[in-house]
Amino acid sequence: MQENRKGLPNIYYTTIVTKTERVIGMSVQYEDYQITVFQSALHQTTSTVAVTEDIILIVDPTWLPEEIEAIQRHVKESDNGQRQYLLFTHSDFDHILGWNAFPEAVTIASRGFVARSGKDATVQEIHDFDDHYYIQRPYIIDYPEIDIIIDYDEQTIESGNTSIMFYLAPGHQPDGVFAVINQTNTLIAGDYLSDVEFPFIHHNSEAYERTIDKLEKVLSEQKIELLIPGHGNSTNEFKEMQDRIGDSRWYIQVLRDEVRREETFDVLQAFVDSFLFSRYLGEEHENNKRQMQAEEKG
C-alpha cells in the first residue's frame, strides 16, 4: 500500500462479496497489522477496529448498513477467539446506531452515557435518518445497554497482555470518552482533534478546554503513535497532533473573546472559512456562538 506525504496509507476501498454476491465498498482510511480505521461516506466518520491476541475492540461502528456489514466481516475474519469489546465514545446518534450489529461484544461507555436523558429522542434521530433515506437495517435500533461503565480518568480494562485506558471527555457532549490502547500506542479521540472540523461545542466550552488539556497531557506523557479522530483523517505525526490541539484551543479562546466583546473577528471567520464543507461548518460555528453566549449569560 502506498503512503501519503504524512506517512499514512492513502485511503482505499475494500471490496467485500457477501453470500448473496452483493458487492460492498467500504473506505479504509488506515490499516496496519493491528489497527483498521474505516471511514464512512458520511461526515468522514471513522469506525476503528483494533485487534490483538487478547481482544477485538470495535469503536463507534457506523453509518450505512453496507459499511457496518464491512466492519462485521472484518471482525469475523479477525476473530480467533478473542473477547470482543464495543466502545461508544459518546451518545450522538451517528456513533451508536450500529451497536446491535455486534451482539457478542461487551459494551463500554461513560456513566454520563448511561445516565443520559432523552434517550428516546436519540433513537428517534436514527429512525428519522433511516426513514428519510429509505434505509432498512437487519438489526433492532435502540439505545445501547452498557456492560462496563467508565467513571474516572485512567480507568483501565486489561485482558491478557492488552490494556485500554479510558478518560472522561466532556465538552463536545457531556458524556464523552477517549481511550488509549497501550499495546498499539493508539489514541482514539472521539469527536476531538479532527482535521476536517473545528470544535463542535454541544455541551460546554470550558469542559471542552479541559478535555483538550487531558489530551495534551496524554500526548506528552505517553508514546502515542497514532491519533484517530471521530471524523476526518488519522495521523501518526506528533507535530500534527500538537497542531490540532493548538488549533482547537485557539478557536475556543478567540470565539470566547469575540462573544465577550460583541465583535466579529476577521481572523476567526477566515479560520472557519478555511475548512471544506463551509456551509455546514458555518452553521456549526453559529451554534458554537450561541452556546458561548448562553454560557456568558450564566
Side-chain angles (χ1 to χ4, degrees):
M1 185 187 306
Q2 291 183 342
E3 291 186 339
N4 60 29
R5 61 186 177 85
K6 290 189 175 182
L8 287 171
N10 292 316
I11 292 175
Y12 68 92
Y13 283 81
T14 181
T15 300
I16 297 172
V17 182
T18 70
K19 293 179 181 179
T20 58
E21 299 301 315
R22 179 161 54 92
V23 176
I24 298 172
M26 180 62 175
S27 172
V28 175
Q29 179 202 110
Y30 174 87
E31 188 171 41
D32 60 31
Y33 68 99
Q34 288 183 301
I35 304 293
T36 301
V37 182
F38 295 92
Q39 181 175 291
S40 172
L42 302 180
H43 294 288
Q44 297 187 22
T45 312
T46 63
S47 299
T48 299
V49 178
V51 179
T52 74
E53 63 182 8
D54 307 300
I55 70 163
I56 298 176
L57 175 67
I58 308 150
V59 184
D60 295 345
T62 198
W63 268 84
L64 303 174
E66 290 81 3
E67 295 175 333
I68 293 173
E69 189 173 339
I71 299 168
Q72 287 176 308
R73 179 59 61 94
H74 178 71
V75 169
K76 183 177 180 180
E77 291 174 348
S78 303
D79 187 358
N80 289 313
Q82 307 99 310
R83 193 171 195 187
Q84 294 182 18
Y85 293 94
L86 175 55
L87 169 64
F88 300 107
T89 61
H90 59 293
S91 61
D92 281 347
F93 85 93
D94 55 317
H95 291 259
I96 69 169
L97 55 79
W99 91 277
N100 272 324
F102 301 90
E104 297 181 2
V106 176
T107 53
I108 309 168
S110 72
R111 177 71 62 181
F113 183 104
V114 174
R116 174 177 176 165
S117 61
K119 294 176 183 177
D120 290 343
T122 302
V123 172
Q124 188 59 49
E125 287 186 87
I126 302 173
H127 288 302
D128 291 345
F129 173 81
D130 287 353
D131 288 349
H132 184 79
Y133 293 103
Y134 303 169
I135 291 174
Q136 294 178 295
R137 300 182 187 273
Y139 50 83
I140 295 171
I141 297 298
D142 55 12
Y143 194 86
E145 298 176 3
I146 301 305
D147 300 310
I148 298 176
I149 299 174
I150 305 304
D151 283 310
Y152 56 88
D153 291 343
E154 299 187 0
Q155 186 171 336
T156 302
I157 293 173
E158 296 182 348
S159 180
N161 295 318
T162 303
S163 63
I164 310 169
M165 187 175 292
F166 300 91
Y167 298 80
L168 300 177
H172 168 64
Q173 293 290 3
D175 55 14
V177 164
F178 69 83
V180 175
I181 307 172
N182 293 320
Q183 275 59 33
T184 63
N185 298 315
T186 301
L187 171 57
I188 298 170
D191 277 9
Y192 295 90
L193 305 187
S194 171
D195 64 334
V196 298
E197 298 174 345
F198 45 78
F200 289 3
I201 311 167
H202 295 172
H203 169 51
N204 180 272
S205 65
E206 293 182 353
Y208 201 114
E209 288 173 309
R210 289 192 292 271
T211 293
I212 291 297
D213 291 342
K214 287 185 192 180
L215 286 160
E216 185 174 47
K217 187 173 186 289
V218 167
L219 287 177
S220 68
E221 294 180 352
Q222 302 188 40
K223 187 181 179 183
I224 301 300
E225 297 179 355
L226 180 65
L227 164 69
I228 305 172
H231 302 269
N233 295 298
S234 306
T235 182
N236 54 17
E237 288 192 359
F238 186 70
K239 184 180 185 304
E240 171 71 13
M241 300 176 198
Q242 291 178 309
D243 287 345
R244 294 187 191 187
I245 284 175
D247 287 347
S248 296
R249 184 177 285 128
W250 178 88
Y251 171 82
I252 294 172
Q253 291 172 347
V254 175
L255 179 59
R256 186 178 290 118
D257 287 343
E258 182 181 85
V259 167
R260 286 175 175 173
R261 297 183 187 183
E262 299 182 349
E263 299 177 19
T264 298
F265 293 169
D266 290 341
V267 65
L268 183 58
Q269 190 60 52
F271 177 76
V272 171
D273 292 342
S274 70
F275 288 82
L276 295 175
F277 317 111
S278 57
R279 180 176 178 179
Y280 170 66
L281 291 180
E283 293 173 358
E284 286 292 341
H285 178 58
E286 292 302 315
N287 290 338
N288 286 344
K289 281 186 182 180
R290 288 189 286 272
Q291 172 65 33
M292 198 80 75
Q293 288 165 348
E295 291 175 19
E296 288 298 310
K297 291 178 181 178

